[in-house]
């Protein structure tokens, strides 16, 4: 499936590194999301963008910085992460906020 | 109280069995409901939307009970390939606007054995 693509699929980074996750959707959707999924926990919504405007920042630490340059692309910039930030980071898009979302394959992040 | 509550399971059933999952939601004004499926180490994928009148897709039947605020998913004639985690997803009416967001349950794990 190529509806929502994320890169990289796997990332190992040190606590002092800076890296970025990329998401691209080819579905013509207007809303894009970043979710975090840790082991044994439900998906946690991090950020919501609707028509390129950030409409929700769900109390996420500032070491995570989203960017949405256009309705098809979404980035998550990472810096000075902690080991507890290791998780699967999922990007999703939907036609509008709150409608069914389609997910990318995720980036499995390990912070060492 | 959590927005969406699910029994985490695990449910272990033999092939051919019928299995049902329930999910409860806290916001009575919730507008739309979905079931997603997530395989191990993969992304969630939309299984089906849940409509007020109930809906069926092959071996899968979803029902909504607004009065009791629960959603169910019934899987008939289970296959080995049905083994996955099933996520209940709810869009409550946004308290501040007409727009919504999706709340995910913790997921119910299903294993179908031969």
């Amino acid at each position: 499936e190529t509806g929502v693509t994320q890169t990289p699929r796997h990332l190992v980074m040190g606590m002092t590194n800076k890296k970025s996750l990329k998401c691209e959707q080819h579905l013509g959707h207007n809303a894009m999301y970043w979710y975090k999924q840790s082991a044994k926990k439900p998906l946690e919504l991090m950020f919501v963008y609707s028509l390129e405007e950030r409409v929700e920042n769900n109390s996420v630490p500032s070491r995570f910085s989203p960017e949405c340059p256009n309705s098809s692309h979404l980035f998550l910039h990472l810096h000075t992460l902690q080991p507890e930030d290791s998780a699967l980071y999922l990007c999703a898009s939907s036609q509008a906020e709150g409608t069914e979302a389609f997910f990318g394959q995720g980036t499995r992040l390990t912070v060492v | 109280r959590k927005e969406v509550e699910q029994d985490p399971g695990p449910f272990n059933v033999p092939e051919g069995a019928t299995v049902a999952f329930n999910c409860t939601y806290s916001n009575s004004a919730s507008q739309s409901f979905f079931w997603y499926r997530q395989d191990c180490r993969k992304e969630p994928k939309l299984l089906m939307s849940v409509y007020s009148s109930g809906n069926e897709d092959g071996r899968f039947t979803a029902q909504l009970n607004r009065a009791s605020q629960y959603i169910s998913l019934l899987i008939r004639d289970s296959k080995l390939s049905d083994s996955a985690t099933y996520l209940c997803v709810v869009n409550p009416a946004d308290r501040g606007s007409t727009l919504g967001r999706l709340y995910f349950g913790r997921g119910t794990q299903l294993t179908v054995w031969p």
Side-chain angles (χ1 to χ4, degrees), chain A residues 68-107:
Chain A
C68 186
N70 55 61
S71 60
S72 300
H73 293 85
L74 186 64
F75 295 89
L76 188 63
H77 304 299
L78 316 171
H79 65 98
T80 60
L81 295 192
Q82 305 298 311
E84 59 265 28
D85 296 322
S86 299
L88 179 67
Y89 288 85
L90 290 158
C91 172
S93 72
S94 64
Q95 183 58 47
E97 280 187 70
T99 58
E100 53 266 38
F102 294 86
F103 286 84
Q105 292 176 299
T107 295

Side-chain angles (χ1 to χ4, degrees), chain B residues 65-84:
Chain B
N65 185 319
R66 284 191 183 274
S68 302
Q69 293 178 216
Y70 80 78
I71 309 143
S72 65
L73 177 68
L74 183 77
I75 305 175
R76 291 181 299 278
D77 188 23
S78 300
K79 310 292 185 190
L80 297 177
S81 57
D82 294 334
S83 298

